[in-house]
Amino acid sequence: MKKELLDPNGIKNASLSYVLLENGLIFANILIGSFGMSPLKLMNIPLISILYLLFVFYMLVFALRKHLCTQCYYYDKSCHCGWGKLASKLYKPNTGNQKLGGFLAAITWSSLMVIPLVVMGFLLYQDFSNSRFLLLIAFVVITIGNNILHVKDCRECKMRYICPGSAAK
């Protein structure tokens, strides 16, 4: 990381309350998406929901922390999600591949949002119910909220000009 490319106006550390809010919204999004897909079963097992949860958990907790956070200014600090702290507990600094991390982040976040949207839309089309409709609306609203926060967070980030996942370059 080239220090001269960092945004001097970026935040140094996010507050704990903001980190908890951000993670709470992400967690809610994942849970609602998983729950919304659970009626789709294979041999009476909500396989898509289980695979979705395992994929998202692995990517968010391990793969992205290694390939993005170990290269970041916020390594061992609290970024808007606090994941730099998590990365420092799991990996040594500069051990990941930032280009790969950017690619994996695009796949992860797209999957996190699109797969539940498509599956819940399909289920709603197959068997409309008010509860399925409200679940889909809740998922969409939280997804939009997370995306708005992502842009806001990127605008306040020291890495905004060099991060492959920045929405505010």
Side-chain angles (χ1 to χ4, degrees):
M1 164 185 40
K2 297 178 181 177
K3 298 232 185 238
E4 64 273 6
L5 296 177
L6 295 177
D7 183 349
N9 300 317
I11 63 167
K12 292 185 180 176
N13 274 301
S15 69
L16 179 60
S17 60
Y18 193 83
V19 168
L20 292 173
L21 169 71
E22 184 102 15
N23 281 289
L25 287 173
I26 292 168
F27 188 67
N29 209 25
I30 293 166
L31 284 180
I32 290 170
S34 178
F35 183 72
M37 295 187 297
S38 66
L40 192 59
K41 295 180 179 174
L42 181 65
M43 296 187 308
N44 213 24
I45 298 171
L47 192 58
I48 290 178
S49 290
I50 292 169
L51 292 174
Y52 171 79
L53 285 172
L54 291 172
F55 170 76
V56 169
F57 177 78
Y58 174 77
M59 295 305 286
L60 290 181
V61 174
F62 297 105
L64 296 182
R65 299 307 58 89
K66 179 177 179 88
H67 295 294
L68 292 179
C69 297
T70 62
Q71 311 284 324
C72 184
Y73 166 83
Y74 296 101
Y75 177 83
D76 200 30
K77 296 179 182 76
S78 285
C79 63
H80 63 98
C81 287
W83 292 348
K85 282 277 192 195
L86 174 61
S88 71
K89 305 296 181 213
L90 298 171
Y91 305 107
K92 293 182 179 175
N94 300 310
T95 54
N97 178 322
Q98 194 175 41
K99 188 174 182 178
L100 175 60
F103 175 74
L104 293 175
I107 290 172
T108 301
W109 289 102
S110 296
S111 298
L112 189 147
M113 294 180 276
V114 172
I115 292 171
L117 188 62
V118 169
V119 172
M120 287 192 288
F122 171 77
L123 289 168
L124 188 63
Y125 176 77
Q126 292 296 313
D127 184 23
F128 183 87
S129 73
N130 287 336
S131 59
R132 280 191 184 163
F133 180 71
L134 291 174
L135 203 58
L136 180 60
I137 295 299
F139 181 81
V140 169
V141 167
I142 293 174
T143 297
I144 291 169
N146 278 332
N147 285 325
I148 290 169
L149 282 179
H150 178 70
V151 172
K152 174 200 166 297
D153 296 335
C154 289
R155 286 187 182 134
E156 298 174 353
C157 179
K158 286 196 171 288
M159 297 283 291
R160 72 182 283 184
Y161 301 119
I162 55 178
C163 175
S166 178
K169 288 184 182 177

